[in-house]
Amino acid sequence: MRPLTEEETSTLFQKLSKYIGENIQLLVDRPDGTYCFRLHKDRVYYVSEKILKLAVNISRENLVSLGTCFGKFTKTQKFRLHITALDYLAPYAKHKVWVKPGAEQSFLYGNHVLKSGLGRITENTNQYQGLVVYSMADVPLGFGVAAKSTQDCRKVDPMAIVVFHQGDIGEYVRHEDTLI
Amino acid sequence: MLPPDGRVPGRRCPELPLCHRKDNFLASGRAYAGLHVVPSAACAGGCLSCGSLRVAMGVRSAEELLAQAEQAEAEKLRLITVHKDLELEFDLGNLLATDRNPPTGLRQRSGPELEAQLQGLARDNVQLLINQLWRLPTERVEEAVVAKLPEPSLRLPREKPLPKPRPLTRWQQFAQLKGIRPRKKTSLVWDEASKQWRRRWGYQRARDDTKEWLIEVPGGADPDEDQFAKRQRAKKERVAKNELNRLRNIARAHKVQLPSQGGMHPTGYQSRAELGKAMQVAKVSTASVGRFQERLPKEKPPRGPGRKRRFQPNVGDFAAEKQSQLELIRVMNSKKPRMDVTRATNKQMREEDREEAAKRKTARGGNRKGHGGKRKGRPPGLGGKGKGGPPGPGNKRKGGPPGVGGKKGQRPGGKRRK
């Protein structure tokens, strides 16, 4: 377990800012406690200082996970965001997408969101902007990347993909062994 | 009834002063078997109490006593005298007694009797040795009487093998080659400063470098350099060099392979790693320590020694970490362009479309007056961004007006449109 280096921190923050913009500072600088990012076996964990001090006493091979896993660094040092970060992305998300009830199931199985399943979308969404996907009842379902900007969404045909799937809460069941 | 030993408890013999034994009755009344010897003839018959008793026991005469004493002496002597056909040879320096008598006394070849016979033999020989030891001159050392042993006469063989001759050190080889003989130096040197004879090196030596309070800066040296520190460093280097040479000599003596030359001698059968190491060392073994060495086109620069990566401590200063992260975020945000060029161009294009649509409308409106508001082409509802209105004259610029530009300006309040 170690803190992130400068490059790793910047990679992580760039990825997160795609989804939550400048609200990252609310993650870094919290009023209710000191939280920090730690790297353990290539995974980034967001953990409070109290838990960290306890986890320091566990040896490397015995420590499985601590705090919340935000994602992992791949072998080529790219950061891949996991669904376990959704709890922290959803409240601070800049751009959101609401999905119709019919298409919810499809999204939760790992498919992309088509125009026909699109309920609402935040105004001024660029293309390839990071999005958080909600159901119509405002339950966060996962996150994705906008395939089209908001304007273009209006113009495309119903079978076109509007949101690329990146992570959904169905992964808790599908990928439970790789997820922590 | 008389007690069997003939003594009457509580009654003393009236011949007491003439009796040999003073303590002639025991308080416990134990049998005092026959040792109440009565030497005096006067007592022999005259004592009423003991006389009568003695008669009952039997008279012990003086002769018998003497004989007994003599017997005891002989006994003691017998114990310490041992008769041997051939005298033993003694090497008292080694506490050694050599018995050359043939062992005819040993009857048995094996068994418990042999054990007893051997023990008797050993006892005798040891007795003779001790007798000899008692004859040595003694001295007294701290309440103990100690005998002074003479020099040992028997030469014992070597315990360990002879030491091998050591290989000569480098200096010794050189000196042998050149014929340099060691010059004897005087142990004391005249010290001018203190006007006395001082030793050549060591405590309070004659010319002590370290005690100088003033060192002149030599002509070509940097004036800001610390000469004292320079002297200290030079000394350290000399000491280190000496130590290195000493260890090298030892290694050569023990034929241990010196670590610096491990793998550098080309054998023709070196592994890839060894060759790589040899190449690295060869690169650095230049006058510029490898700085101007050329590399092959795709060869990577060599990794220097030392730690490769260093991380911050795990449970370090949280506040500092937070600060650095916030700084990183700030820099990241500042690097993003405040105005998104694509959005600005899109907006610009939309405005232009709207203008054209408005122009067409007025043109068409002029042609067909009765026609309703239905338009072909792009309806204004889709294009509108909420600002509406005809654009001002300054809007034709490519970048768009600065007041309108920027993400924040274009989001009037989170209005969502389908």
Side-chain angles (χ1 to χ4, degrees), chain B residues 176-245:
Chain B
Q176 220 177 40
L177 201 64
K178 290 282 200 173
I180 301 171
R181 297 241 199 86
R183 268 194 232 169
K184 188 73 182 169
K185 292 188 179 136
T186 60
S187 48
L188 297 177
V189 182
W190 177 251
D191 184 23
E192 212 33 68
S194 59
K195 299 275 193 298
Q196 49 176 246
W197 288 95
R198 287 238 179 120
R199 59 190 77 175
R200 195 178 284 274
W201 51 269
Y203 179 62
Q204 285 173 354
R205 49 183 173 274
R207 292 168 212 130
D208 197 348
D209 241 1
T210 57
K211 295 281 194 287
E212 268 186 48
W213 57 270
L214 179 86
I215 303 178
E216 285 177 12
V217 174
D222 177 23
D224 290 331
E225 194 184 4
D226 185 359
Q227 296 296 328
F228 294 100
K230 188 170 156 198
R231 216 175 247 192
Q232 273 186 326
R233 253 180 287 127
K235 163 106 186 170
K236 284 208 173 95
E237 277 172 26
R238 288 197 301 267
V239 167
K241 179 170 172 282
N242 196 9
E243 186 66 21
L244 178 69
N245 284 330

Side-chain angles (χ1 to χ4, degrees), chain A residues 1-3 5-6 8-10 13-14 17 22 24-25 28-29 34 36-38 49 52-53 56 98 120-121 123-124 126 151 154, chain B residues 309 311-316 318 321-322 324-326 328-329 332-333 336 340 343 346 350 382 385 407-408 410-411 415-418:
Chain A
M1 204 196 328
R2 62 169 174 86
T5 60
E6 288 288 326
E8 286 165 352
T9 322
S10 66
F13 283 174
Q14 270 170 14
S17 69
E22 65 270 2
I24 300 177
Q25 66 197 34
V28 170
D29 190 6
T34 319
C36 52
F37 292 100
R38 287 292 179 265
E49 170 201 344
L52 176 65
K53 287 199 170 142
V56 161
W98 283 260
R120 289 204 295 258
I121 185 165
E123 193 58 51
N124 307 326
N126 295 329
Q151 293 160 257
R154 294 185 191 125
Chain B
R309 288 178 83 178
F311 302 117
Q312 297 296 317
N314 202 355
V315 191
F318 290 113
E321 210 181 309
K322 196 190 290 188
S324 67
Q325 282 177 348
L326 288 173
L328 189 69
I329 294 168
M332 221 164 63
N333 286 340
K336 277 191 216 151
D340 199 355
R343 292 170 77 108
N346 283 345
R350 272 196 303 281
L382 269 179
K385 273 286 183 186
K407 277 194 213 163
K408 294 228 171 37
Q410 286 177 1
R411 220 178 310 129
K415 230 162 112 181
R416 293 184 198 107
R417 305 246 187 110
K418 191 165 179 178

Side-chain angles (χ1 to χ4, degrees), chain B residues 70-326:
Chain B
E70 219 181 281
Q71 231 180 7
E73 282 289 326
E75 186 78 32
K76 269 198 244 167
L77 216 61
R78 191 161 54 83
L79 287 171
I80 65 166
T81 50
V82 177
H83 172 68
K84 289 274 184 190
D85 294 330
L86 213 56
E87 280 298 319
L88 266 51
E89 289 164 24
F90 295 101
D91 179 12
L92 292 173
N94 281 326
L95 289 180
L96 177 70
T98 312
D99 184 0
R100 289 190 184 273
N101 292 307
T104 48
L106 301 177
R107 301 282 160 75
Q108 291 264 318
R109 282 285 150 171
S110 61
E113 279 192 32
L114 176 69
E115 202 52 49
Q117 280 171 356
L118 283 174
Q119 275 210 331
L121 184 62
R123 195 217 75 87
D124 291 341
N125 286 340
V126 169
Q127 182 67 65
L128 287 172
L129 179 63
I130 302 292
N131 293 347
Q132 285 291 317
L133 284 177
W134 275 114
R135 295 215 182 104
L136 289 173
T138 61
E139 61 189 23
R140 203 177 167 77
V141 173
E142 279 178 21
E143 303 156 358
V145 180
V146 166
K148 271 189 70 147
L149 294 177
E151 287 297 314
S153 62
L154 184 70
R155 261 185 79 190
L156 293 170
R158 279 187 84 86
E159 183 193 341
K160 297 211 168 48
L162 275 170
K164 295 190 210 44
R166 257 185 239 179
L168 296 173
T169 64
R170 257 175 86 86
W171 165 250
Q172 281 171 338
Q173 284 170 10
F174 178 74
Q176 220 177 40
L177 201 64
K178 290 282 200 173
I180 301 171
R181 297 241 199 86
R183 268 194 232 169
K184 188 73 182 169
K185 292 188 179 136
T186 60
S187 48
L188 297 177
V189 182
W190 177 251
D191 184 23
E192 212 33 68
S194 59
K195 299 275 193 298
Q196 49 176 246
W197 288 95
R198 287 238 179 120
R199 59 190 77 175
R200 195 178 284 274
W201 51 269
Y203 179 62
Q204 285 173 354
R205 49 183 173 274
R207 292 168 212 130
D208 197 348
D209 241 1
T210 57
K211 295 281 194 287
E212 268 186 48
W213 57 270
L214 179 86
I215 303 178
E216 285 177 12
V217 174
D222 177 23
D224 290 331
E225 194 184 4
D226 185 359
Q227 296 296 328
F228 294 100
K230 188 170 156 198
R231 216 175 247 192
Q232 273 186 326
R233 253 180 287 127
K235 163 106 186 170
K236 284 208 173 95
E237 277 172 26
R238 288 197 301 267
V239 167
K241 179 170 172 282
N242 196 9
E243 186 66 21
L244 178 69
N245 284 330
R246 183 181 77 88
L247 292 173
R248 272 212 213 123
N249 280 330
I250 292 171
R252 197 179 302 113
H254 290 276
K255 303 237 178 351
V256 169
Q257 194 189 43
L258 299 172
S260 68
Q261 291 158 19
M264 296 299 165
H265 298 293
T267 59
Y269 301 110
Q270 290 175 294
S271 71
R272 189 198 156 134
E274 282 173 5
L275 287 173
K277 183 91 177 82
M279 193 192 72
Q280 267 183 7
V281 171
K283 274 224 166 78
V284 184
S285 313
T286 59
S288 321
V289 203
R291 264 189 75 181
F292 303 110
Q293 294 300 104
E294 284 149 12
R295 269 185 273 130
L296 290 175
K298 283 198 187 162
E299 202 182 330
K300 287 184 219 150
R303 264 182 1 187
R307 251 205 252 179
K308 290 169 276 194
R309 288 178 83 178
R310 232 175 239 264
F311 302 117
Q312 297 296 317
N314 202 355
V315 191
D317 189 3
F318 290 113
E321 210 181 309
K322 196 190 290 188
Q323 279 309 110
S324 67
Q325 282 177 348
L326 288 173

Side-chain angles (χ1 to χ4, degrees), chain A residues 7 19-20 30 40 43 52 62 74 83 119 128 141-142 147 149:
Chain A
E7 300 88 40
Y19 292 88
I20 59 180
R30 277 166 76 133
H40 173 61
R43 286 174 193 264
L52 176 65
N62 291 334
T74 63
I83 189 61
Y128 310 129
L141 296 176
S149 61

